[in-house]
Structures are given as C-alpha cells and as structure tokens.
Amino acid sequence: MIGSRSGPRWRLSVAVGEGLRNWQHGRWLTVLASVFTAAAFAAPTIVDATGIDRLVQDELAWERAGGRVLVLTNEEGGGIDRAACESSVRIEGISAAAALTRLPQRAGAVNAPQANLPLVAAGEGLGPLLGLAPAPGVILPPDVAEGLGVAAGDDLHLTALTDASAPTAALPVLDGPLTVSAVADTAVLGEQYAYAVLLPTSASGTASTCMVRVRAGYLDAARDALPALLGQDGQDAVVADRLIGGTYARDFSAEYAERGLKQAPWLSGAAVSLLWLLLVWIRRGRDGLYATLGADRATRTVVRIAEGLTLVLTSACAAAVVVAGMTAALTTSPAAVVGDVVRHLTIATAVAVLGVLASALVPLRSPLAALKDR
C-alpha cells in the first residue's frame, strides 16, 4: 500500500529526514575533521622546521668559528711549501687554502707610528678562507682598522719598526702605500694570526702554517691526504683541527638524523587515516541513505573516497599555507628547511590518501540495518 511503512513514500520520507540530519551533524564533523587534519599536518612540520633551523644556525656558527678548518704545520721539515698549500684548493672537497707566516717584525702607521702592529704574510687564498672574494690588498680585522681609522678601499701607509733580531729585508711588502681590500672578522685564523695586519705575499718559499677549509663530507679524507701532500724533506706535515672539543664538539649530521620528529609525517598521516575510518563508521547511516536512493555499492564507495580525498587534500593545502607563513616568521634560514617541510607534508598527505583509499575495503553493515538503528 502507498501509505504503509514499507511503501515508496515512507522510504522517501525516511531518506529525506536522514539527509537533513546528516547535513546538520555532518557539517560540524567536517569542520572539526578539517581542523584536526590541517593541525596534524602543520604542527609537527613547524616544530621540526624550527628545530632544524636552530641546528643549521649552530652549524653555521661552528663553521664561522673554524669548523672544518684544518691547520697544517711542519716544523721538522722546514715549513710548508706555499705553492703546494695554495694549490691544494684544486683537490675535490677543499674549498679554500691559505699559507700564513707570522713575521718577526712589527710596524707602525703614518698616523700611528708607534702602533706596534703584528704582521702576517698571507697567500692569495686568504680571502676565500675568510669568506671573501680574492683580492690583492691588505686584510684588516675590525679592531685594527678602527684603531688606524681606515676602511676597505683606503690606502694604508705602514712603517717598519726596527727589530735588531730580524733583517729589514723581511719586509719588502711595506714599500709604498698598500690598499685595504677588506675589513673582516679574522677570528677563524686563531690568536696567532687573527689580530694582525694580513699582508699579501706571493706563493713562493715556505710558510709556517697552511690553513685549509674542507667541505662537508670530506673532512676525514682531507686529514688523511694533506699531511703527505704538504710534506717537505721527507717529513709529513702535522694536521690538527682548528676547533678541538669545547662548545663546538657536536656531530650535527648525527643530531639531524636522530631528531625526534623525523618520523612525525608518517604518524601524522596514520592519525588522519584513523580519523577518516572513524568518520566512515560514524556516518555509516549515510550508506543506507544512498542505498535507498538507488546507489549501488560501487557508487557508494566512490562517494566515500571522494569525500575523504577532498578532506585530506583541502586540509593539506591549508596546512601548507600555515606552514609557509610560520616557517618564514619563526626560522632564520627558511631556504635551509624548505626541503624537510616539503618532505613532511608530502609523506603525511600520501599516507592519509592511502588510508582513505583503504577505507573502501572496510565492510559496513547492511544499509537497512544501519537505517533501522537511526
């Protein structure tokens, strides 16, 4: 009969009523699920990005202080050949090399005759070692430049201070005015060379020290190869790290590889997958509603997957916008963490998408049984 509880009109009224209830409750579930999904994607990504940024800044400070800088000396062999030191930069993994010798004489300036400035003869590789472009002029530490009242580009007139223990011929570089090519932080050179006038010299003869900056991943190989390469008179050079122990005794690669949030994107994706399975179970009555409207199992599965993918992908886009803004605001070097940010969001989204696709395999109760429960 048309008016019976088993007739078409009754089923249609049940479907309409069910649809209205699902729409009212479903929109709040959708909002909450979207917020949770976006937060699950964004929160661990932001926390990990800020942690990586701090690690990057610590490593940069370590490098500026002399990390990956090797100091080679050869007192028993009569010193380090300047040409061999400077040419070691051609070896793969070595980014800069400079020969240094602390001169026995000191010098004054025209405007400060008794300045008693220490002098260091430095090879042309000193600029790259300090992070500067190669330049033929004098390099001064900031304190010395300020005391002499000169800046980069100015001429510097030095006068040799008489030293009975050292011949004046050791100071040919003081003839005429010298151009100050740069004023730069020279602390990486150590106390023996950092606070002196760094004079340009040719790559001939011997030097007391060769300082070499090594790229990441080549430090051990450089330690093994350089002593023999810079040896002289059958005596290998002695190699030492510029920084030994102390505050900088850290393994940054290990800290990066072992950080706590490295596996976070997999867990985020799994959490979103479980959330979607929970939503599928909560909304199981909708399966019955669609069945009463004539949708077969395949159609209902497609609808379920489309809803899940829409939730995941829109939330991932929202999370990407939030992460981009927060990363730019909270990190010092956003470019250094962008790769890890992309990795986080990609893995989390991919795992969540797989979870949505897997939800199609979840067996639900029959549509009529689900509707009777409602």
Side-chain angles (χ1 to χ4, degrees), residues 147-239:
L148 296 176
V150 296
D154 293 345
D155 287 338
L156 178 63
H157 296 267
L158 296 178
T159 58
L161 299 180
T162 302
D163 186 346
S165 64
T168 56
L171 292 173
V173 291
L174 298 187
D175 295 338
L178 301 171
T179 301
V180 178
S181 64
V183 175
D185 183 4
T186 58
V188 67
L189 303 179
E191 294 183 2
Q192 184 178 3
Y193 303 111
Y195 306 104
V197 177
L198 301 167
L199 303 168
T201 188
S202 62
S204 60
T206 59
S208 58
T209 302
C210 179
M211 285 197 177
V212 177
R213 185 180 293 280
V214 184
R215 295 188 181 94
Y218 292 90
L219 198 55
D220 291 335
R223 285 196 191 98
D224 295 336
L226 288 175
L229 180 66
L230 300 182
Q232 192 163 272
D233 295 336
Q235 183 68 39
D236 286 352
V238 177
V239 61

Side-chain angles (χ1 to χ4, degrees), residues 10-168:
W10 179 81
R11 289 197 298 272
L12 180 61
S13 64
V14 170
V16 172
E18 184 70 16
L20 290 174
R21 286 193 297 272
N22 281 335
W23 181 82
Q24 292 173 347
H25 294 87
R27 60 178 180 174
W28 291 111
L29 281 176
T30 300
V31 170
L32 292 176
S34 299
V35 171
F36 176 87
T37 302
F41 288 160
T45 304
I46 294 170
V47 174
D48 192 40
T50 55
I52 293 173
D53 181 67
R54 286 193 296 271
L55 192 62
V56 168
Q57 299 311 312
D58 289 347
E59 185 172 15
L60 290 175
W62 173 68
E63 289 183 351
R64 287 191 295 268
R68 299 198 189 96
V69 171
L70 299 178
V71 180
L72 291 105
T73 57
N74 194 356
E75 294 181 3
E76 295 184 7
I80 302 290
D81 184 83
R82 286 185 177 275
C85 175
E86 299 283 338
S87 62
S88 65
V89 73
R90 301 172 186 172
I91 301 174
E92 183 180 3
I94 294 179
S95 59
L100 302 169
T101 298
R102 177 77 175 247
L103 299 177
Q105 296 93 342
R106 290 177 174 257
V110 172
N111 59 340
Q114 301 302 318
N116 198 30
L117 300 170
L119 303 174
V120 171
E124 63 181 9
L126 180 62
L129 184 68
L130 298 177
L132 307 171
V138 175
I139 296 177
L140 298 176
D143 292 346
V144 173
E146 183 179 356
L148 296 176
V150 296
D154 293 345
D155 287 338
L156 178 63
H157 296 267
L158 296 178
T159 58
L161 299 180
T162 302
D163 186 346
S165 64
T168 56

Side-chain angles (χ1 to χ4, degrees), residues 114-349:
Q114 301 302 318
N116 198 30
L117 300 170
L119 303 174
V120 171
E124 63 181 9
L126 180 62
L129 184 68
L130 298 177
L132 307 171
V138 175
I139 296 177
L140 298 176
D143 292 346
V144 173
E146 183 179 356
L148 296 176
V150 296
D154 293 345
D155 287 338
L156 178 63
H157 296 267
L158 296 178
T159 58
L161 299 180
T162 302
D163 186 346
S165 64
T168 56
L171 292 173
V173 291
L174 298 187
D175 295 338
L178 301 171
T179 301
V180 178
S181 64
V183 175
D185 183 4
T186 58
V188 67
L189 303 179
E191 294 183 2
Q192 184 178 3
Y193 303 111
Y195 306 104
V197 177
L198 301 167
L199 303 168
T201 188
S202 62
S204 60
T206 59
S208 58
T209 302
C210 179
M211 285 197 177
V212 177
R213 185 180 293 280
V214 184
R215 295 188 181 94
Y218 292 90
L219 198 55
D220 291 335
R223 285 196 191 98
D224 295 336
L226 288 175
L229 180 66
L230 300 182
Q232 192 163 272
D233 295 336
Q235 183 68 39
D236 286 352
V238 177
V239 61
D241 291 314
R242 169 66 183 85
L243 296 181
I244 303 175
T247 304
Y248 297 105
R250 297 171 58 184
D251 188 340
F252 295 99
S253 297
E255 289 184 35
Y256 172 79
E258 297 171 2
R259 67 191 191 281
L261 291 175
K262 183 178 180 180
Q263 306 301 329
W266 301 94
L267 299 177
S268 297
V272 173
S273 298
L274 292 176
L275 172 66
W276 177 245
L277 291 176
L278 177 62
L279 289 178
V280 168
W281 181 81
I282 292 175
R283 294 175 171 177
R284 63 193 182 279
R286 296 176 62 177
D287 218 47
L289 170 61
Y290 295 146
T292 61
L293 297 177
D296 57 16
R297 179 178 178 81
T299 301
R300 299 196 303 272
T301 300
V302 170
V303 170
R304 188 193 313 167
I305 292 176
E307 291 176 340
L309 292 179
T310 300
L311 170 67
V312 170
L313 296 179
T314 55
S315 298
C317 291
V321 173
V322 173
V323 170
M326 295 297 291
T327 299
L330 298 177
T331 61
T332 305
S333 303
V337 301
V338 65
D340 291 281
V341 167
V342 172
R343 171 185 170 273
H344 260 268
L345 295 177
T346 300
I347 292 176
T349 303

